[in-house]
Amino acid sequence: MIVQAHDPAFTEMLAQVRHFIRDICMPLEEQIDRDDQIPEPVVEQMRALGLFGHSIPAEYGGSGLDTEALARINIEVSQAAPVIRARFGGNTGIASESLIADGTDAQKRQWLPLLASGRITGCFALTELDAGSDATALGTRAERTDSGWVINGRKRYITNAPIADLFTVFARTDDSRRGGSGISAFLVPRSTPGLNAPPGPRKMGQHGSPVGEVLLDNCRVPHEALLGGREGQGFRSAMKALNKQRINLAALCVGPAIRLVEEMFAFARSRKQFGMPVAEFQLVQQMVAESNTEVHAARALVLETARARDRGEDVTMEASMCKLFASEMCGRVADRAVQVMGGAGYMAGNVAERFYRDVRLFRLYEGTSQIHLLNIMRQMQSRAADARN
Ligand SMILES: Cc1cc2nc3c(=O)[nH]c(=O)nc-3n(C[C@H](O)[C@H](O)[C@H](O)COP(=O)(O)OP(=O)(O)OC[C@H]3O[C@@H](n4cnc5c(N)ncnc54)[C@H](O)[C@@H]3O)c2cc1C
């Protein structure tokens, strides 16, 4: 069963999430940023609320939300520090989508209920030193043996790797084929000998969301670990998941921007200079009004694209537009929030200062802004060519 955004059950779910985000998570944001850790009782509440499994089909223990419902949840959860969503975002996003799309029945039955309940944490290990935007340039290799596969390579910048229990590892299995077609994906449990995922370096922001390397040194997995049981399909599986994931990520950019508009508006009305609230100055009003307008535009684009995907339309170009516009918009809004708050917005512990650091990442991962611009143009050209034929 798929839960849609207009179902009464979804309205109730959204209200519960709103309460959790506003009353439990927001008061803890500063502590999480300082300690670089989300308290375990908060993670336990995420499990109880079903947050780890919102996008996973109900038959595997998830909530089976459609794209619009998921976007609405993401807009809600991301109004608190983005690391809150990052804790469960792999399970209900990039780390489970390829498995849902192309996993074998046995793989789905083995892993999806564990991911949906949050009993295990998943991660998506694609990026390497020489394979960032050019993801198909990866150097990780998997060699077939009688008993399975031997994987060797080194991944970096992998969200949740230091705490993950299950790694979706992308490796080249066929050197004779170029691009994505020689790449396969493997489901590798943390306990597998030869897999190491040490604690990662400290980042600019999103403290509390561990990111690190995955070292694969003669890491042996059985044949059953090959995603979908088919060689050379891994990259295609990842790409299939991407349209949905880009809409998810765009929704995650809308939430912080909503929050920042609320915060800058409240600040501008309370902070007095020259004998009046700074909200009375038209130059300040411009920053707040432009931010609010851009938030509404991004939200509308994300929800419309989500609905189009739910109708079965091809949204490859629109999903890229969502990711590009919403992440750039969020960066502009965060910058204005600091500006509206003046020196206060630059001080550690201030909400604008924290979000400014946290949201910078949105323009980098899951396709940089430049890569999305290229993708939009490529899609326009391919649609124009289709129209001519
Ligand atoms: C905190 C964090 C978490 C992450 N989590 C994950 C994860 O869970 N799993 C995972 O697999 N990866 C993850 N990543 C990796 C992320 O997806 C990559 O960092 C991203 O794809 C960019 O790759 P890169 O860092 O190598 O930059 P590069 O590709 O080296 O890009 C450098 C610059 O060149 C530009 N550029 C590159 N190619 C072109 C081009 N053709 N045209 C124009 N400009 C171009 C880029 O836009 C950028 O401005 C994460 C990264 C970070 C920072």
Side-chain angles (χ1 to χ4, degrees):
M1 194 188 77
I2 292 176
V3 176
Q4 297 174 322
H6 52 75
D7 288 347
F10 177 69
T11 310
E12 172 62 20
M13 186 187 283
L14 197 61
Q16 283 178 358
V17 168
R18 184 170 298 149
H19 161 70
F20 172 66
I21 289 299
R22 293 193 172 258
D23 301 336
I24 311 287
C25 297
M26 283 184 188
L28 290 172
E29 287 173 334
E30 230 187 297
Q31 178 194 323
I32 292 170
D33 183 57
R34 196 181 50 241
D35 298 352
D36 204 1
Q37 197 165 23
I38 301 176
E40 191 50 32
V42 176
V43 179
E44 201 44 58
Q45 288 185 64
M46 293 174 185
R47 293 189 183 104
L49 274 171
L51 289 171
F52 282 88
H54 272 158
S55 64
I56 295 176
E59 59 186 302
Y60 300 109
S63 312
L65 299 187
D66 71 3
T67 321
E68 183 188 357
L70 199 57
R72 288 183 186 275
I73 288 276
N74 281 333
I75 289 173
E76 203 61 50
V77 295
S78 57
Q79 289 177 44
V83 295
I84 300 290
R85 196 270 175 182
R87 180 62 186 85
F88 57 83
N91 287 32
T92 192
I94 208 146
S96 65
E97 288 295 337
S98 324
L99 185 51
I100 294 168
D102 283 333
T104 63
D105 281 349
Q107 287 169 342
K108 290 182 190 184
R109 279 198 309 275
Q110 181 178 5
W111 296 116
L112 287 177
L114 294 170
L115 289 165
S117 64
R119 268 182 290 154
I120 65 167
T121 297
C123 75
F124 179 90
L126 175 64
T127 300
E128 300 177 5
L129 175 63
D130 293 322
S133 297
D134 185 7
T136 62
L138 53 79
T140 297
R141 292 271 182 289
E143 306 270 343
R144 188 193 276 276
T145 66
D146 289 344
S147 57
W149 295 87
V150 183
I151 312 175
N152 279 289
R154 190 179 193 124
K155 303 288 176 181
R156 70 168 180 175
Y157 302 158
I158 308 304
T159 301
N160 283 337
I163 58 166
D165 306 287
L166 179 65
F167 297 72
T168 305
V169 173
F170 293 82
R172 187 160 288 285
T173 47
D174 185 349
D175 280 320
S176 67
R177 295 164 78 182
R178 292 164 59 93
S181 54
I183 295 173
S184 303
F186 297 88
L187 299 164
V188 188
R190 187 178 198 95
S191 55
T192 311
L195 183 146
N196 226 314
R202 193 163 167 86
K203 313 183 295 310
M204 175 194 285
Q206 300 222 0
H207 299 146
S209 167
V211 171
E213 283 192 312
V214 182
L215 314 175
L216 300 138
D217 182 13
N218 284 326
C219 178
R220 288 172 189 277
V221 294
H223 290 295
E224 297 73 43
L226 177 66
L227 182 76
R230 290 173 65 203
E231 224 179 300
Q233 289 295 312
F235 199 71
R236 240 166 270 162
S237 301
M239 292 303 116
K240 259 191 218 170
L242 268 185
N243 276 349
K244 188 170 175 193
Q245 186 53 28
R246 285 170 178 167
I247 300 170
N248 285 345
L249 195 75
L252 295 173
C253 299
V254 173
I258 291 175
R259 170 83 178 280
L260 287 166
V261 168
E262 275 173 20
E263 298 279 356
M264 71 169 97
F265 182 56
F267 182 95
R269 296 200 325 156
S270 66
R271 168 72 177 161
K272 287 200 172 104
Q273 284 296 278
F274 302 96
M276 63 181 88
V278 297
E280 296 301 317
F281 303 126
Q282 289 181 341
L283 293 175
V284 173
Q285 290 176 355
Q286 179 182 10
M287 290 191 273
V288 180
E290 275 182 353
S291 298
N292 202 18
T293 307
E294 290 195 57
V295 168
H296 277 68
R299 186 173 183 278
L301 178 63
V302 169
L303 293 181
E304 179 46 34
T305 306
R307 284 189 287 266
R309 185 177 182 277
D310 287 333
R311 289 193 297 269
E313 294 171 23
D314 173 12
V315 295
T316 310
M317 180 178 76
E318 290 76 3
S320 246
M321 288 172 162
C322 285
K323 201 291 185 170
L324 172 70
F325 182 75
S327 60
E328 292 284 335
M329 173 283 298
C330 189
R332 288 192 293 274
V333 170
D335 188 67
R336 289 190 201 114
V338 173
Q339 196 67 18
V340 166
M341 295 190 189
Y346 194 72
M347 293 296 137
N350 180 285
V351 64
E353 180 268 345
R354 186 161 31 75
F355 270 82
Y356 182 83
R357 289 184 282 111
D358 286 350
V359 305
R360 188 61 186 83
L361 179 58
F362 293 143
R363 291 153 62 194
L364 297 172
Y365 68 0
E366 298 195 21
T368 63
S369 294
Q370 289 71 34
I371 293 302
H372 283 288
L373 284 164
L374 296 177
N375 194 32
I376 292 162
M377 189 62 183
R378 200 168 33 244
Q379 291 298 320
M380 288 173 71
Q381 282 166 330
S382 120
R383 286 183 191 189
D386 287 349
R388 268 199 306 275
N389 294 329

